[in-house]
Amino acid sequence: MIHQLQDTRCIIGHKRFSQAGVVFEMHSHPGGAELLAPRYQKEEIPGLFLATMTREMITYPERWVFAFLPGSGPEMVTFMKWVKDNWIEARPPRIALIGFDVSIAWEASEFGAEWAPKFGIEWTGCEIVPLVGCIDTSTEWLRLANKKPGWVFAYASMQVLVVIMKDAKRLEIQERGIKLCSHAAGIDEILVRAVGVDASEGWFASRPHPSPVETDVPGVSLARDIIKKYRGLEEASSHYMGACAICSTIFEAIRLAIEKVGYQNLNGRAVRDAMVTIKDFIPFGQISPPVTITEERPYVVRDNKYYQIRDGKIWPYTDWIPYAYHYAELTKGR
């Protein structure tokens, strides 16, 4: 079962799911997964957030909340390391962040400020825009641009990212010599269509799943066949493919649980325990690298690629890059 509700309304949805006897829940909003983490632990029902892990989702001594990605902090650290590793100018790279008012964006900013000096990077600050009712980000963009960063990492999604990208085009941010990159749950083909080819041109994207242009990945054609069969669409977006990796991993955990305790004894505890034994699992159509989940690393992916938008399509820019940092040390000794 999946939650598409936010914060306190998730409690109502969870109660209904719990009464129905679910053995796994998924969330589309980080606030809900964070809010319900203690309940999942108490009621022994595992949950999974469809995007990035946060520190508030980590339960002790066992993990009851999982995620697709290692976390916005690790993602920010990995991005900065990638920039530094490929930097050729004499001066140090300068990086800033623009994001929406959600815990994952704040966490990315905190990690950016903390880790930038360790990589020899100048952190030029962050700007946070509203999650609801965001219609203009000119002030935030101009404040960032005046600090002359070399890169701005955008930690926003959906309609907020549309506004951010359109304003960046209108204000000619890239023409100022500033490169732009969105986080893993940011840009996909649906958002490119909403923003327009001109406004999305040149943007980079951090992501753990393929683009429809990567026809050599079996899961790309499989996802296209599924979305055509069930929704009548001709093309599956990148985020749709990411969901395929998530769901196939959850199904593998349920399969392992049934194999161990039997269908009649299947419950949340059995699925949770099976989840942290998944090792070198090949997800749907090889759509991401092999999946290994443990108590210390309770997320589906451990690797990341960078893509760039050119002529309205999202093209791979790098090969797989391991995440440079994990939350593992936060769980030690707890």
Side-chain angles (χ1 to χ4, degrees):
M1 306 293 282
I2 183 169
H3 282 299
Q4 295 188 21
L5 305 173
Q6 299 179 8
D7 301 336
T8 54
R9 287 179 293 172
C10 278
I11 296 175
I12 299 173
H14 168 69
K15 286 182 177 179
R16 292 172 179 167
F17 290 162
S18 180
Q19 290 170 1
V22 300
V23 297
F24 209 107
E25 290 184 2
M26 289 193 291
H27 283 265
S28 62
H29 186 270
E34 293 170 351
L35 180 68
L36 287 172
R39 283 178 174 261
Y40 288 147
Q41 187 173 24
K42 180 180 179 180
E43 299 172 17
E44 297 197 338
I45 298 175
L48 182 144
F49 174 44
L50 296 176
T52 189
M53 175 73 65
T54 70
R55 286 171 289 191
E56 288 74 18
M57 294 178 193
I58 299 176
T59 58
Y60 302 101
E62 297 173 319
R63 309 302 158 253
W64 284 95
V65 179
F66 301 87
F68 185 35
L69 303 160
S72 56
E75 184 177 17
M76 191 71 217
V77 172
T78 303
F79 169 72
M80 292 193 299
K81 185 177 185 302
W82 173 66
V83 170
K84 179 64 174 181
D85 288 347
N86 293 277
W87 192 254
I88 59 174
E89 298 185 31
R91 62 180 179 85
R94 296 166 59 84
I95 296 177
L97 179 143
I98 187 168
F100 51 13
D101 192 10
V102 177
S103 60
I104 53 178
W106 285 107
E107 188 167 303
S109 175
E110 292 164 6
F111 271 74
E114 179 183 350
W115 281 75
K118 300 178 183 180
F119 292 131
I121 290 172
E122 292 184 19
W123 180 254
T124 61
C126 79
E127 294 288 339
I128 299 296
V129 303
L131 173 65
V132 179
C134 180
I135 59 175
D136 187 274
T137 58
S138 300
T139 300
E140 290 80 5
W141 267 125
L142 292 174
R143 276 200 293 250
L144 286 180
N146 286 337
K147 297 176 182 178
K148 298 181 179 180
W151 282 89
V152 174
F153 195 79
Y155 220 100
S157 304
M158 302 174 290
Q159 76 278 7
V160 181
L161 186 55
V162 169
V163 176
I164 286 173
M165 293 178 71
K166 284 188 173 182
D167 285 349
K169 175 63 177 177
R170 177 172 52 81
L171 297 169
E172 299 183 335
I173 297 298
Q174 293 192 76
E175 284 73 9
R176 298 170 183 244
I178 301 172
K179 294 181 179 180
L180 308 172
C181 183
S182 82
H183 74 123
I187 295 175
D188 77 343
E189 292 71 23
I190 295 173
L191 191 132
V192 169
R193 290 197 296 270
V195 170
V197 173
D198 289 344
S200 61
E201 185 72 12
W203 273 76
F204 289 81
S206 161
R207 59 201 311 177
H209 44 68
S211 164
V213 302
E214 296 178 87
T215 54
D216 58 322
V217 179
V220 169
S221 58
L222 285 171
R224 184 182 297 116
D225 292 343
I226 290 172
I227 203 169
K228 184 175 183 179
K229 177 180 179 180
Y230 291 100
R231 300 179 65 185
L233 301 177
E234 294 297 324
E235 191 64 82
S237 70
S238 301
H239 289 347
Y240 187 90
M241 297 177 199
C244 291
I246 294 169
C247 291
S248 61
T249 302
I250 293 173
F251 297 155
E252 173 66 4
I254 294 173
R255 185 193 70 79
L256 290 172
I258 292 174
E259 188 177 83
K260 184 173 182 179
V261 305
Y263 179 77
Q264 297 300 323
N265 297 316
L266 184 66
N267 56 26
R269 159 61 69 178
V271 175
R272 191 224 75 90
D273 290 349
M275 194 77 169
V276 295
T277 66
I278 292 176
K279 184 177 181 180
D280 296 330
F281 168 66
I282 305 298
F284 174 92
Q286 302 174 21
I287 214 156
S288 72
V291 175
T292 296
I293 298 176
T294 65
E295 300 282 4
E296 290 76 22
R297 298 188 176 185
Y299 23 80
V300 175
V301 298
R302 300 184 179 197
D303 303 273
N304 184 63
K305 275 186 181 182
Y306 292 97
Y307 289 73
Q308 188 179 35
I309 303 172
R310 301 191 299 274
D311 298 322
K313 294 186 180 296
I314 304 175
W315 298 93
Y317 192 83
T318 71
D319 202 347
W320 291 107
I321 299 172
Y323 274 85
Y325 172 87
H326 290 267
Y327 284 126
E329 46 265 58
L330 296 178
T331 67
K332 288 180 179 178
R334 301 294 291 267

